Amino acid sequence: MAVRRPSRVREGIDPALVTTDATALVKRGDIDVVVEVIGGIEPARTLITTAFEYGASVVSANKALLAQDGAALHAVAEEHGEDLYYEASVAGAIPLIRPLRESLAGDKVNRVLGIVNGTTNFILDKMDSTGAGYQEALDEATALGYAEADPTADVEAFDAAAKAAILAGIAFHTRVRLDDVYREGMTEVTAADFASARAMGCTIKLLAICERAADGGSVTARVHPAMIPLSHPLASVRGAYNAVFVESDAAGQLMFYGPGAGGAPTASAVLGDLVAVCRNRLSGATGPGESAYAALTVSPMGDVVTRYHISLDVADKPGVLAQVATVFAEHGVSIDTVRQQGRQDSDGEASLVVVTHRASDASLSGTVEALRKLDTVRGVASIMRVEGE
Amino acid sequence: MAVRRPSRVREGIDPALVTTDATALVKRGDIDVVVEVIGGIEPARTLITTAFEYGASVVSANKALLAQDGAALHAVAEEHGEDLYYEASVAGAIPLIRPLRESLAGDKVNRVLGIVNGTTNFILDKMDSTGAGYQEALDEATALGYAEADPTADVEAFDAAAKAAILAGIAFHTRVRLDDVYREGMTEVTAADFASARAMGCTIKLLAICERAADGGSVTARVHPAMIPLSHPLASVRGAYNAVFVESDAAGQLMFYGPGAGGAPTASAVLGDLVAVCRNRLSGATGPGESAYAALTVSPMGDVVTRYHISLDVADKPGVLAQVATVFAEHGVSIDTVRQQGRQDSDGEASLVVVTHRASDASLSGTVEALRKLDTVRGVASIMRVEGE
């Protein structure tokens, strides 16, 4: 057992088994399985690679490393005939990687929609249920220990993006790297956005969305806040819980729900993997390795097709709606509904809420750029994608 | 491929591959894997046993057979070094058996609460959302194809009981047979019960409940309608969907959700198993077999401890509540709340709704028996267990 602070008292562990020299440990040569729960890229990557070279299989909980270098690690594991398991890297104890890569091995997954970060789900749930603003909800999450002192990795969705890369790779049998994942944090979600969501029968969640394109030849992976209908099973995922919704050809709609983080849940997932790897070793076999045979292209965010909810601050005078509608039409973005209302507090300002039909993200970006140039549009208050319909 | 009607046109299948002689097929000796999707006890049991004897592994979707003879089938499979997989036997395509027996292999499951029958969930959901009575909701389920012409297996919970036996066995690493499962159907659930449930912030679901006793030395398995709080993740499982809620020491609360039946979902589960069995064969290994090492006692229903919601029709006169409360006290059943109300339509009758604290089912049965003997108690309108709190 290699640790940073060997002097710490560890109930039930013989101190003679504790070392600070992780490298010497993985190089012993008589190790069957290495459990890596360090996190981060280095020294984890080198230790895991060395473990494979010295004849050990690896169980890891390291989402950052798997998202960045999963393919390379799988290649080294395969070269040495070793197992690489990492159930704990995505959504804590929720069995997700095993179901996706084994239970659905004979099915075709078309979409994965996941709440894969407990901190941000806690914050958004708090905003939804109490009307609190982002900062207030974050402060409560910090006070309760759900958010770290520096919450950047969570609220800017770096954590969720890493999980999206891992999920997309496994779901679509293709390589998706962290850099392929479009990422938008949730720090700019406001109480007003929640009010807009409620008016549409929706709530707001930070979603990891992995989709196969309609033509089947490419995939996309993205993480951003989105409105989803209250009737969607993900809408009722409360507090710091995680859940992943999977749509496949044959199985239909599945959802996996549970605690997304924490010491004990992570230990549960790691132990499940450890048992599997030990079983494999005893029978002289290895479990499923990387499955990247589909080798699909990962398309950029502009190719994503979805619906949008756009709030505009506009001049409160005749003809504005016609101008705005023209811009949408010119960019090929079809409008589903428009709600226009004068604002009590303004000098001749009104707000215009547009919900579109499905359109590409590139078309929507073009539309918004053009809207900003209109004299009558004072500002774009918010743009939110609408998912799960 | 052995079928009943060989003349039926099967797109993409060479008619030369079709036979009616299933026995000859499993005895060929060059078969790697037999997929059994016949259902029922015989001839499925003999065919599966023969398949093992002739060197094939088996993938089955047969809940009735697994619930009745799982231990014997596992023993034959093990004797011949073959695999027995049956993900499709419980909750259709929802990955459940693999997560329970592999992902949670290093954890300790304490409770499984499942909606494992889509037909009855459709009926109860319909009653809940429309106020319909049981018969009306059943008729709609039949018209829509959710219920069979003879719905007995579903509404009397034989189907759910078989699944409970399989789930309990896997969750607790012990043998639980169909006969060990307490079973109560849902044909007597009324619109009034739903009104009572709503008054408690609950809804009613037909639940399969597998529990480890507090002392850890025994387990119980039962299927019956029960009230669960609307805030429980199972409460929002709508229509014909299934979901299984698992509570374990380390992972905490997990839920697995999806379609519980249907041709395509079943095929997805069967194919996942088929891929696993083929992988095992290629590497010369077998997957996890029966895990019954815990060898726990299955306690009878009387030992189950839960809460109860009891509706009594009583004489509308002073002293009745005191009499009733005395009976509960004499049987050691502690009362949480009582609601008493005169009824508009009655001649001196009132209704009394009692919600208890946790008590054993045996104590509750004794209480109810004694209540029935009271002159002032005209009838016991309903008894419903309250779960998931």
Side-chain angles (χ1 to χ4, degrees):
Chain A
M1 184 187 207
V3 301
R4 196 178 292 169
R5 286 169 297 171
S7 58
R8 200 174 123 195
V9 177
R10 294 179 170 81
E11 197 91 31
I13 304 214
D14 181 351
L17 296 174
V18 174
T19 174
T20 54
D21 191 347
T23 304
L25 192 64
V26 299
K27 283 187 174 175
R28 277 175 52 144
D30 63 342
I31 306 278
D32 285 308
V33 189
V34 169
V35 175
E36 181 272 307
V37 284
I38 309 174
I41 305 301
E42 286 295 353
R45 177 168 52 193
T46 302
L47 288 168
I48 289 176
T49 308
T50 309
F52 291 140
E53 289 164 359
Y54 281 77
S57 284
V58 172
V59 174
S60 171
N62 195 328
K63 59 186 169 278
L65 179 57
L66 263 303
Q68 184 177 310
D69 289 319
L73 292 177
H74 271 295
V76 181
E78 199 165 327
E79 182 192 336
H80 295 277
E82 302 296 342
D83 269 334
L84 173 60
Y85 276 61
Y86 44 93
E87 183 67 78
S89 69
V90 181
I94 309 174
L96 202 54
I97 292 180
R98 185 174 280 103
L100 277 173
R101 75 177 181 176
E102 300 182 39
S103 304
L104 295 173
D107 205 338
K108 184 180 167 198
V109 175
N110 295 311
R111 179 181 289 144
V112 177
L113 281 183
I115 296 170
V116 293
N117 181 277
T119 305
T120 49
N121 199 57
F122 179 91
I123 294 171
L124 291 170
D125 186 20
K126 188 56 66 176
M127 291 175 72
D128 190 19
S129 58
T130 67
Y134 166 72
Q135 189 59 48
E136 189 186 335
L138 171 62
D139 289 346
E140 183 168 349
T142 310
L144 291 171
Y146 286 117
E148 295 181 43
D150 176 1
T152 309
D154 293 320
V155 301
E156 293 296 354
F158 290 101
D159 173 87
K163 292 162 176 170
I166 296 172
L167 285 175
I170 292 175
F172 303 134
H173 304 283
T174 197
R175 285 193 184 145
V176 179
R177 285 172 53 100
L178 184 51
D179 295 346
D180 296 324
V181 181
Y182 173 83
R183 182 189 54 75
E184 217 174 89
M186 44 67 76
T187 59
E188 286 171 25
V189 176
T190 62
D193 290 329
F194 272 103
S196 301
R198 266 191 296 277
M200 282 186 67
C202 287
T203 186
I204 298 171
K205 295 290 187 188
L206 180 70
L207 295 181
I209 304 173
C210 313
E211 284 177 311
R212 190 187 292 279
D215 67 4
S218 65
V219 298
T220 53
R222 53 194 166 114
V223 180
H224 55 70
M227 294 185 184
I228 53 165
L230 290 171
S231 58
H232 194 284
L234 286 175
S236 48
V237 176
R238 293 263 115 75
Y241 273 85
N242 280 198
V244 176
F245 191 79
V246 177
E247 294 175 29
S248 77
D249 266 3
Q253 302 186 324
L254 303 172
M255 189 172 79
F256 304 86
Y257 166 99
T266 302
S268 173
V270 166
L271 280 173
D273 279 356
L274 191 57
V275 170
V277 171
C278 291
R279 280 189 49 82
N280 291 341
R281 284 183 95 72
L282 282 173
S283 62
T286 52
E290 190 192 20
S291 172
Y293 62 83
L296 300 170
T297 309
V298 184
S299 299
M301 187 62 189
D303 287 4
V304 164
V305 174
T306 188
R307 295 178 64 202
Y308 305 86
H309 177 285
I310 303 124
S311 295
L312 302 172
D313 295 327
V314 297
D316 192 4
K317 57 185 185 189
V320 173
L321 178 54
Q323 272 191 318
V324 166
T326 303
V327 170
F328 276 87
E330 282 169 358
H331 290 82
V333 179
S334 171
I335 292 175
D336 178 15
T337 58
V338 176
R339 192 157 42 89
Q340 193 172 200
Q341 55 193 51
R343 298 203 312 202
Q344 308 287 334
D345 60 342
S346 66
D347 329 322
E349 263 198 17
S351 88
L352 204 60
V353 173
V354 179
V355 180
T356 74
H357 286 294
R358 286 168 61 79
S360 76
D361 226 73
S363 308
L364 196 277
S365 297
T367 306
V368 171
E369 203 176 322
L371 287 172
R372 287 190 203 277
K373 288 181 186 150
L374 290 181
D375 286 343
T376 48
V377 172
R378 308 273 165 82
V380 179
S382 89
I383 305 168
M384 188 85 67
R385 297 176 188 88
V386 184
E387 307 286 342
E389 293 178 308
Chain B
M1 183 184 206
V3 300
R4 197 178 293 168
R5 285 169 297 171
S7 57
R8 200 174 124 196
V9 176
R10 295 178 169 82
E11 197 92 31
I13 304 216
D14 181 350
L17 296 174
V18 174
T19 174
T20 53
D21 191 346
T23 304
L25 193 63
V26 299
K27 283 187 175 177
R28 275 175 53 144
D30 64 342
I31 306 277
D32 284 308
V33 190
V34 169
V35 175
E36 182 272 306
V37 284
I38 307 173
I41 306 300
E42 285 294 355
R45 177 168 51 192
T46 303
L47 288 168
I48 290 175
T49 308
T50 310
F52 290 141
E53 289 163 359
Y54 281 76
S57 284
V58 172
V59 173
S60 170
N62 194 329
K63 59 186 168 277
L65 180 57
L66 264 304
Q68 184 176 310
D69 288 319
L73 292 177
H74 271 297
V76 182
E78 199 164 325
E79 183 191 336
H80 295 276
E82 301 297 342
D83 269 335
L84 172 60
Y85 275 61
Y86 43 94
E87 183 67 79
S89 68
V90 181
I94 309 175
L96 202 54
I97 293 180
R98 185 173 280 104
L100 278 174
R101 76 176 182 177
E102 300 183 38
S103 304
L104 294 173
D107 205 338
K108 183 178 166 198
V109 175
N110 296 310
R111 182 180 287 143
V112 177
L113 281 183
I115 296 169
V116 292
N117 181 276
T119 304
T120 48
N121 200 57
F122 179 90
I123 294 171
L124 291 171
D125 186 20
K126 187 57 65 177
M127 291 175 72
D128 190 20
S129 58
T130 66
Y134 166 72
Q135 191 58 49
E136 189 186 335
L138 171 62
D139 289 346
E140 183 169 349
T142 311
L144 291 170
Y146 286 116
E148 295 182 43
D150 175 1
T152 309
D154 293 320
V155 301
E156 294 296 353
F158 290 100
D159 173 88
K163 292 163 177 170
I166 298 172
L167 285 175
I170 292 174
F172 303 133
H173 304 283
T174 198
R175 285 192 185 146
V176 180
R177 284 172 53 100
L178 184 52
D179 296 344
D180 298 324
V181 181
Y182 172 83
R183 181 189 54 76
E184 215 175 273
M186 45 66 77
T187 58
E188 286 170 26
V189 176
T190 63
D193 291 329
F194 272 103
S196 301
R198 265 191 296 278
M200 284 186 65
C202 287
T203 186
I204 297 171
K205 295 291 187 187
L206 180 70
L207 296 182
I209 304 174
C210 313
E211 284 178 310
R212 189 187 294 279
D215 67 5
S218 64
V219 299
T220 53
R222 52 193 166 115
V223 180
H224 55 70
M227 295 186 182
I228 54 166
L230 291 170
S231 58
H232 194 284
L234 287 174
S236 48
V237 175
R238 293 262 115 76
Y241 273 85
N242 280 198
V244 176
F245 191 79
V246 177
E247 295 176 30
S248 76
D249 266 2
Q253 302 186 323
L254 302 172
M255 189 173 79
F256 303 85
Y257 165 99
T266 302
S268 172
V270 166
L271 281 173
D273 280 355
L274 191 56
V275 170
V277 171
C278 292
R279 280 188 48 84
N280 291 343
R281 285 185 94 74
L282 282 172
S283 60
T286 51
E290 190 193 20
S291 172
Y293 62 84
L296 300 170
T297 310
V298 185
S299 299
M301 187 61 189
D303 289 4
V304 163
V305 174
T306 187
R307 294 179 65 204
Y308 305 86
H309 178 286
I310 303 124
S311 296
L312 303 171
D313 295 328
V314 297
D316 192 4
K317 56 185 184 189
V320 173
L321 177 54
Q323 272 193 316
V324 166
T326 303
V327 170
F328 276 86
E330 281 169 358
H331 290 82
V333 179
S334 172
I335 292 176
D336 179 14
T337 58
V338 176
R339 193 157 40 89
Q340 191 171 200
Q341 55 193 51
R343 297 202 313 201
Q344 310 285 333
D345 59 345
S346 64
D347 329 322
E349 261 197 19
S351 86
L352 203 60
V353 173
V354 179
V355 180
T356 74
H357 286 296
R358 286 167 61 79
S360 76
D361 226 74
S363 307
L364 195 276
S365 297
T367 307
V368 171
E369 203 177 322
L371 287 172
R372 287 191 204 276
K373 289 181 187 154
L374 290 182
D375 286 344
T376 47
V377 172
R378 307 275 165 82
V380 179
S382 88
I383 305 167
M384 188 85 68
R385 297 177 187 87
V386 185
E387 307 287 342
E389 293 178 308

